Amino acid sequence: MADAAQTRQRILDSALELFTERGFAGTSVADLAGRLGTSKAALYHHFRSKNEILAALLDAPTRRFDELVTQAPELTAEQLLGRVVDLTAELSAMAGMLDGDPSVQAAQRERLLDRSRDINEALTAALVPPPGDADARLRAHAAYAAAKHGTLAAVTDLGTAELSPVTRAALVSAALRALHPAG
Amino acid sequence: MADAAQTRQRILDSALELFTERGFAGTSVADLAGRLGTSKAALYHHFRSKNEILAALLDAPTRRFDELVTQAPELTAEQLLGRVVDLTAELSAMAGMLDGDPSVQAAQRERLLDRSRDINEALTAALVPPPGDADARLRAHAAYAAAKHGTLAAVTDLGTAELSPVTRAALVSAALRALHPAG
DNA sequence: GTCTATACATAGATAGAC
DNA sequence: GTCTATCTATGTATAGAC
């Protein structure tokens, strides 16, 4: 009924939905097959394991954030926070799961591939100027949290992952104000 | 070796650790018994089900946040964000799991007790003045995210849930700045 | 109040036909 | 490339002795 690539994508789409709703550990392969209207065996033709489905799902987002980490040193705080807002919105369906579900990180840890913590650390570190006192680190955490989780809340609230320029600007400047010491 | 209340508490402590590490669905009753050095049957003497352990764990935090929701209308934004920082720090071990693990929410949903979304909505709503345009709502989301997730990041970073007055003030003012439109 | 043993269902994964 | 049928391990939960 479909070529391999297409079927593969349908599996990933359903997996993302279910992993988001019930968590990775809370979703069985039978659940997945049920939602797809196929058999479990069919799934195993396209992926070697449930874990591999998760890995395939996380591959793209992880790469996008890794890219941002390498660019981070050259970006201003405003540019960096803007990219965080953009990426979070674009990957909003995934971003909640990425560092929200403990069973996701546990599964990735088994494969020594849990990057989410490193990414978060690298990006907040990039927001702190070289000397970087404790206060500045705190503000960086707050600003990053505002950008990321503020964007997630906004996407949920607005019902769309397409942020208008005005909305984007509001999120970035809110995060930026959290970063800067003086009123 | 111990009276009932004490044993019950030991179970809850271990459960919190494991649920945080591996997620609720990712933790088996056997895992729990293993960490406690007891049998599965012993656990079932103190709790009727795995789900009830989760419910007992979430009971206190949920009540604390519900309290805050009822007080919210009478608080200034600064007071409210301050309370969010305080509560988040105090419950930091729990707060990540509370609205991070999808399997937790799925389990609570079965019992029609998933309050975390309502709480988040009520608190951000309290940050928006009555007319409440779209822009103000966005800033409220960003401010709330800065307070909550900024505090979680800070607690992780500092390695302690006891925030000094200076640290607390820095988090609150960062969140406040995210809330307020003008520099 | 804790144990061993076990019931019963579901988990992830595979075999082999079509 | 998808199916039915099945393997084996593990899941939650219980029975009944101590």
Side-chain angles (χ1 to χ4, degrees), chain B residues 61-161:
Chain B
T62 303
R63 282 228 291 263
R64 300 294 299 279
F65 272 101
D66 273 334
E67 264 175 53
L68 182 55
V69 167
T70 65
Q71 296 166 352
E74 303 161 24
L75 300 178
T76 66
E78 181 167 4
Q79 290 171 326
L80 178 53
L81 290 170
R83 295 285 323 265
V84 170
V85 169
D86 291 338
L87 262 186
T88 302
E90 181 190 337
L91 305 169
S92 54
M94 209 89 78
M97 185 184 76
L98 225 164
D99 49 15
D101 183 346
S103 70
V104 167
Q105 289 154 314
Q108 292 295 97
R109 230 174 282 137
E110 280 175 29
R111 321 179 87 212
L112 303 175
L113 272 175
D114 182 20
R115 307 271 306 108
S116 66
R117 189 171 292 270
D118 295 342
I119 290 170
N120 288 350
E121 269 177 33
L123 293 181
T124 50
L127 287 171
V128 188
D133 60 6
D135 225 57
R137 264 219 314 287
L138 271 180
R139 290 194 304 268
H141 282 313
Y144 185 67
K148 185 162 194 169
H149 295 277
T151 299
L152 284 176
V155 167
T156 303
D157 193 42
L158 299 172
T160 170

Side-chain angles (χ1 to χ4, degrees), chain A residues 64-86:
Chain A
R64 301 293 298 279
F65 272 99
D66 273 334
E67 265 176 52
L68 182 54
V69 167
T70 64
Q71 298 167 350
E74 302 161 24
L75 300 177
T76 66
E78 180 166 6
Q79 289 171 327
L80 176 53
L81 290 170
R83 294 286 323 265
V84 170
V85 169
D86 292 339

Side-chain angles (χ1 to χ4, degrees), chain A residues 110-135:
Chain A
E110 280 175 30
R111 321 180 86 211
L112 303 176
L113 270 174
D114 181 19
R115 305 271 308 110
S116 65
R117 189 170 292 268
D118 295 342
I119 290 169
N120 288 349
E121 267 178 35
L123 292 181
T124 50
L127 286 172
V128 188
D133 60 7
D135 225 57

